Amino acid sequence: MRVRIAPSPTGNAHVGTARNALYNLLLARQHHGSFILRIDDTDVKRSTAASELGVYEGLRWLNLAWDEGPDVGGPCGPYRQSERLDLYTAACEQLLAAGRAYPCFCTRDDLAAERAAARAAGRPPLYSGRCRDLPPSRVQALKERGAPYVIRLRIDPRPMAFTDLVQGEIAQDASLLGDPVIMKANGLPVYSFATVVDEHHMAISHVLRSAEHISNTFPQLQMYEALGYAPPQFGHLGLLLNPDRSKISKRTGAVYIGEFRDQGYIPEAMINHLALCGWSPDGDQEVLSFDEILAAWSLERCSPANAIFDRQKLLWLNGHYLRGLSVADLAGRGWPFLRR
């Protein structure tokens, strides 16, 4: 078993990323597998070295140790997407040669007009495929003129389904997907395409990620098929929400793990609370050490529904763990706050 967490370095580790990292680590440890950290940094405008460091610090503070990653190495490196661009280019060329991908010269205005017309007609705002069957001579002429273009995957419009490890059977009519972009005009891959190439070359066996990625899974399955890759098993976890079921955001308080650390929460309480955000043990016990969680956790008891990140419950857990510390341990943990 090989699992991974693949955050974008656009800030310290988010609580949702930390929960997913914990679940992936538990899955790997239970099956004596490997837990990989990959940095998805192809968003060059927002990715920074400082944010990457924030990811490391946030996950390390929670003692979520990875077996392979940019800072520790491993047999499937490099572990930053920005250092793997040749793999994405080669995969894209393979799809172009096989006729499963094609260049699209549509401008932003063209696409906006298409979407507006589709909505006005009561149709889904999908790409029409107007560049799907351009004659080779026309494609060459546009390239020689210097017209910018992206590369799109040619979707096979057929019924699709897969068995999700958390959500169960999920089906989709691929004719409703449209042809997704796999390579941007600047030559960089889009997230969903780079992920497929990376999962294959890193031999990822199970992808455990948030439910917001379910919509990506169907075009990704066609990418796996077109490239001749065996897909991993997918499990999509519910999102973390506020108690009022709104999306967690900065306006509701801390979002990043480093913020909770700086406010005086301790990792034992965070791990305990994150474990219960989407999973429930057999029984009513709510205070669980990492070892107890590792022994009891299972995908079968992970809920397909969204989970509540309850800051009041976290505060209660934090108090419980603080009161259980020895005087020496409490003094050691409190000293950095007193110094500040």
Side-chain angles (χ1 to χ4, degrees):
M1 177 171 293
R2 288 174 60 81
V3 300
R4 55 72 170 170
I5 191 77
S8 298
T10 55
N12 193 309
H14 186 277
V15 290
T17 300
R19 190 279 307 267
N20 291 357
L22 171 61
Y23 283 14
N24 275 279
L25 178 64
L26 292 169
L27 189 62
R29 294 294 175 262
Q30 286 182 344
H31 293 84
H32 309 289
S34 297
F35 173 48
I36 295 103
L37 172 65
R38 185 176 71 234
I39 298 296
D40 287 3
D41 61 348
T42 53
D43 185 346
V44 293
K45 291 183 178 179
R46 299 174 61 215
S47 299
T48 66
S51 292
E52 183 176 324
L53 182 61
V55 170
Y56 298 154
E57 289 180 346
L59 297 180
R60 281 202 182 104
W61 177 68
L62 293 173
N63 298 311
L64 300 177
W66 46 96
D67 304 302
E68 302 171 29
D71 56 333
V72 298
C76 298
Y79 293 90
R80 293 185 188 88
Q81 285 191 332
S82 60
E83 299 171 3
R84 302 171 63 83
L85 299 181
D86 57 332
L87 291 173
Y88 314 135
T89 300
C92 182
E93 292 296 332
Q94 179 182 336
L95 293 177
L96 286 167
R100 284 303 304 269
Y102 60 92
C104 172
F105 298 89
C106 296
T107 66
R108 289 178 183 270
D109 289 342
D110 293 335
L111 297 174
E114 272 197 1
R115 288 192 293 269
R119 289 192 185 97
R123 302 191 309 271
L126 304 176
Y127 176 62
S128 66
R130 61 194 292 180
C131 291
R132 249 184 173 231
D133 300 307
L134 289 178
S137 58
R138 176 63 174 159
V139 171
Q140 186 61 31
L142 287 167
K143 288 182 177 180
E144 289 176 355
R145 191 195 304 170
Y149 62 91
V150 299
I151 304 296
R152 290 182 182 271
L153 178 74
R154 192 184 299 270
I155 286 288
D156 181 8
R158 67 177 192 270
M160 297 180 67
F162 72 97
T163 301
D164 191 278
L165 296 171
V166 177
Q167 303 290 331
E169 189 81 3
I170 305 177
Q172 168 77 64
D173 182 353
S175 65
L176 301 176
L177 296 176
D179 292 346
V181 174
I182 59 173
M183 295 289 276
K184 306 173 198 173
N186 61 6
L188 294 176
V190 301
Y191 160 81
S192 57
F193 180 59
T195 295
V196 166
V197 177
D198 286 337
E199 314 297 36
H200 170 72
H201 286 283
M202 291 184 175
I204 301 300
S205 63
H206 295 69
V207 171
L208 203 56
R209 59 188 181 182
S210 295
E212 62 193 352
H213 293 295
I214 289 176
S215 61
N216 293 328
T217 306
F218 291 99
Q220 285 181 327
L221 286 171
Q222 292 216 8
M223 294 175 201
Y224 282 107
E225 179 186 87
L227 289 165
Y229 300 165
Q233 293 187 61
F234 291 96
H236 289 90
L237 305 163
L239 303 179
L240 295 192
L241 303 176
N242 292 310
D244 64 0
R245 309 203 71 80
S246 62
K247 187 176 180 180
I248 293 177
S249 65
K250 292 294 292 182
R251 65 177 176 78
T252 57
V255 168
Y256 297 114
I257 291 300
E259 295 176 288
F260 289 97
R261 175 197 60 200
D262 295 342
Q263 290 174 9
Y265 291 91
I266 62 175
E268 295 92 330
M270 284 296 304
I271 287 292
N272 193 157
H273 187 50
L274 289 172
L276 298 174
C277 290
W279 166 78
S280 59
D282 185 11
D284 56 2
Q285 185 179 0
E286 291 188 310
V287 179
L288 298 145
S289 68
F290 177 83
D291 288 342
E292 289 174 320
I293 295 167
L294 179 60
W297 186 88
S298 69
L299 273 175
E300 290 73 23
R301 294 194 65 86
C302 287
S303 171
N306 294 332
I308 299 299
F309 185 80
D310 188 339
R311 288 171 172 80
Q312 288 303 311
K313 186 171 183 179
L314 172 61
L315 186 63
W316 175 81
L317 281 168
N318 201 61
H320 172 85
Y321 280 102
L322 284 172
R323 287 187 293 274
L325 298 177
S326 69
V327 173
D329 194 357
L330 180 60
R333 299 192 197 213
W335 178 238
F337 294 90
L338 295 176
R339 289 188 65 184
R340 284 203 298 271

